[in-house]
Amino acid sequence: MSLQLDFPAVLERWPSFLGGAALTLELAAFATVLGALFGTLAAVGRGSRSPLIAGACKVYVETIRNTPLLVQIFLVYFGLASLGLKFSAFTVAVAALTINVGAYTAEIMRAGFEAIPRGQIEAAEGLALSRLQIYWHIILLPAIEKVYPALTSQFVLLMLASSVCSQISAEELTAVANYIQSDTYRAFETYIIVAVLYVILSLVMRAGFWGLGLVLFPRRRRLGTPL
Amino acid sequence: MQQNLSSSDPIVSLRDVQKSFGPLRVLDGVSFAVERGEVLALIGRSGSGKSTALRCIDRFEKVDGGEIVVCGHRVDRPDVDLRALRQDVGIVFQSYNLFPHLTIEQNITLAPCAVKGMATSRARDLARKVLAQVGLEEKLHAYPEQLSGGQQQRAAIARSLAMQPKVMLFDEVTSALDPELTAEVLKVIEQLAADGMTMVMVTHEMGFAKGIADRIVFMHRGKVHETGPASILTSPTTPELTQFVGTGNLKS
């Protein structure tokens, strides 16, 4: 039994690897931004006084959290196709990942909303702020701050999970790797490189979220309290 | 909603107000009125309904029956314009409730800018002014957690003042503070009273109530049990008030 690794044969494809990594990051960025917005709206919706809206948001969250991501991707992919709608695999991947991470974001944000003391909202109401203004000025940022580590971990997980988008041939890192290994017959080396690239992407995202945290929570910066 | 308000009408009036939490009758026909510039102290045991009565004035509790008129707003009606009401009424809570993610200045300028559409520069001037009123100008750019309890409560009073309310409600604002911090907050409230602010306060500080209140409302089991000038604290007529003030130390 001997292990022979031939990295140079695979590494000469470095432009493809980097292109794949960039696409994965792009995919994750779109899905993170859209999913954060979508999920926050769903979290607000779950607290709605209208049972219809609250119920719809609950069904959405529970359905997504209890089905596999790959099945969700196929449902969006083949669902749109059978409706006669043609989108690129990348767009479908963004849509499916957004729907997926939106549900997890909704649950995390709901926990954040519930952690806001009742007195904060009463004080804001007492100052004649409207419901929307209270959400925007009083609830949103402190809620995000309370769940920021959980939230950002979820987005990093999403980036890693986006590798299953290779199943619908969306151009991203794992899909690129699949081509390369079938071309070079160097599967082990290829996926070692891919694994390293995913680690680097995770670190890049975590650094990005750390920087974003400094901008979002100036009090932490001023008082030196870590997140 | 706002009726024509003549200067002789009371700022706040409650008539036969009823309120239950489930089977528990918290307010059982409560009536009192607060005239312009008057300071009214609501006293009584815990559970007597005084805090609930105060919260009904700003409609943090909906009443089951009776009539509440505050600055011309019919607070008991379901169609009351809450935002108009709350621009006329300022409320300060026991737990300060400053917004922790905003500086003291931002805490104060938020409502004037967002609700009244005041320009930021004017709101900042206003913040300086109201902070000076409570003796905290130097804390303009501090965050709430950098302040002591007494300072936080004074900042909360300043935040309320910035909306230029016609009446201020104080809900046990010193109950979370030690005697020294209590004194600094009470000094601020005394100054407000001297400036002619109409105020309703729920308080356990009997000495303070006696010194500042124009009128005392003693609540007992959801009813106004005894009411009158501050002197009723030293010469109560009902056995319940006698017992209540007897347990405190009013010698000072």
Side-chain angles (χ1 to χ4, degrees):
Chain A
M1 197 178 84
S2 73
L3 178 65
Q4 287 195 317
L5 293 177
D6 183 5
F7 279 105
V10 178
L11 276 174
E12 68 183 20
R13 301 292 193 92
W14 65 267
S16 301
F17 279 116
L18 283 189
L23 284 167
T24 286
L25 202 55
E26 196 183 333
L27 193 59
F30 273 116
T32 295
V33 171
L34 294 174
L37 289 174
F38 194 57
T40 304
L41 286 179
V44 174
R46 271 196 88 163
S48 166
R49 277 173 289 197
S50 147
L52 195 71
I53 295 175
C57 292
K58 188 171 179 193
V59 167
Y60 158 64
V61 168
E62 291 310 319
T63 307
I64 297 301
R65 292 204 317 149
N66 292 293
T67 50
L69 173 59
L70 185 56
V71 172
Q72 293 162 14
I73 292 172
F74 282 147
L75 281 174
V76 175
Y77 187 64
F78 295 117
L80 289 173
S82 62
L83 289 172
L85 298 168
K86 280 215 187 300
F87 291 102
S88 71
F90 187 84
T91 310
V92 171
V94 168
L97 291 177
T98 297
I99 291 170
N100 179 269
V101 80
Y104 290 95
T105 301
E107 273 305 89
I108 295 171
M109 283 303 294
R110 191 167 66 108
F113 289 154
E114 278 171 11
I116 302 297
R118 178 79 207 130
Q120 290 284 302
I121 296 159
E122 282 196 348
E125 286 173 346
L127 290 166
L129 294 170
S130 70
R131 235 175 118 73
L132 194 66
Q133 287 170 334
I134 293 174
Y135 258 111
W136 185 247
H137 293 291
I138 307 305
I139 298 180
L140 192 59
L141 266 186
I144 293 176
E145 187 176 344
K146 281 179 202 294
V147 297
Y148 196 67
L151 204 55
T152 53
S153 291
Q154 190 65 50
F155 295 137
V156 173
L157 274 177
L158 161 88
M159 185 274 294
L160 298 175
S162 73
S163 69
V164 302
C165 294
S166 59
Q167 291 295 308
I168 57 166
S169 308
E171 294 281 330
E172 46 75 58
L173 184 53
T174 305
V176 167
N178 292 345
Y179 299 138
I180 294 176
Q181 65 93 12
S182 66
D183 240 19
T184 59
Y185 301 105
R186 288 285 168 195
F188 194 33
E189 293 87 335
T190 303
Y191 289 113
I192 288 175
I193 293 167
V194 165
V196 170
L197 285 172
Y198 273 115
V199 169
I200 293 171
L201 288 182
S202 295
L203 293 176
V204 166
M205 280 185 78
R206 287 185 192 281
F209 285 128
W210 178 80
L212 182 64
L214 291 184
V215 176
L216 284 179
F217 316 121
R219 172 173 112 263
R220 301 233 173 214
R221 202 171 61 224
R222 271 266 305 277
L223 305 186
T225 20
L227 265 166
Chain B
M1 274 315 295
Q2 184 139 13
Q3 296 156 358
N4 286 331
L5 196 63
S6 88
S7 58
S8 60
D9 282 335
I11 297 274
V12 174
S13 89
L14 283 76
R15 220 164 56 203
D16 194 27
V17 169
Q18 313 276 339
K19 171 75 190 173
S20 297
F21 291 125
L24 185 69
R25 182 161 271 215
V26 190
L27 299 180
D28 188 6
V30 169
S31 304
F32 60 81
V34 187
E35 306 296 330
R36 189 178 298 270
E38 193 176 30
V39 176
L40 183 128
L42 281 169
I43 61 167
R45 283 196 192 89
S46 299
S48 59
K50 57 195 190 307
S51 261
T52 305
L54 187 87
R55 288 167 59 83
C56 284
I57 295 172
D58 210 8
R59 207 160 189 271
F60 281 112
E61 308 291 349
K62 285 178 201 164
V63 299
D64 301 328
E67 186 188 279
I68 303 183
V69 184
V70 178
C71 303
H73 306 281
R74 277 293 298 269
V75 180
D76 55 292
R77 289 200 181 142
D79 62 344
V80 61
D81 182 347
L82 276 183
R83 297 190 65 199
L85 167 73
R86 287 168 178 170
Q87 286 186 53
D88 288 339
V89 182
I91 184 161
V92 183
F93 303 91
Q94 180 181 339
S95 48
Y96 335 133
N97 297 340
L98 291 172
F99 307 127
H101 59 302
L102 302 178
T103 63
I104 298 303
E105 180 181 56
Q106 290 167 331
N107 262 277
I108 295 171
T109 56
L110 174 63
C113 292
V115 177
K116 292 183 166 174
M118 188 180 284
T120 316
S121 58
R122 264 195 66 205
R124 285 197 180 137
D125 290 342
L126 179 63
R128 270 185 198 88
K129 200 186 113 201
V130 290
L131 274 180
Q133 252 177 294
V134 300
L136 280 179
E137 302 113 298
E138 79 282 4
K139 298 297 183 188
L140 197 62
H141 299 295
Y143 282 97
E145 67 190 272
Q146 295 173 295
L147 270 54
S148 73
Q151 289 172 331
Q152 288 194 44
Q153 193 58 291
R154 279 146 65 198
I157 293 171
R159 178 175 71 178
S160 218
L161 283 175
M163 287 296 279
Q164 287 152 334
K166 296 184 178 127
V167 52
M168 296 262 296
L169 311 178
F170 294 91
D171 190 3
E172 294 190 35
V173 293
T174 59
S175 298
L177 302 172
D178 69 33
E180 199 181 340
L181 298 181
T182 294
E184 67 180 48
V185 171
L186 295 185
K187 220 177 95 193
V188 165
I189 298 176
E190 263 169 24
Q191 188 54 50
L192 283 179
D195 293 344
M197 176 62 80
T198 310
M199 299 195 274
V200 184
M201 59 180 71
V202 169
T203 183
H204 288 291
E205 302 287 329
M206 288 308 126
F208 176 65
K210 189 171 144 242
I212 190 178
D214 299 307
R215 216 143 45 79
I216 304 282
V217 168
F218 170 64
M219 290 193 59
H220 184 67
R221 294 187 176 168
K223 288 179 169 29
V224 175
H225 200 72
E226 186 169 345
T227 179
S231 59
I232 66 166
L233 289 177
T234 36
S235 47
T237 57
T238 61
E240 288 78 9
L241 183 55
T242 309
Q243 198 197 344
F244 181 71
V245 295
T247 56
N249 41 353
L250 259 185
K251 301 286 180 279
S252 52

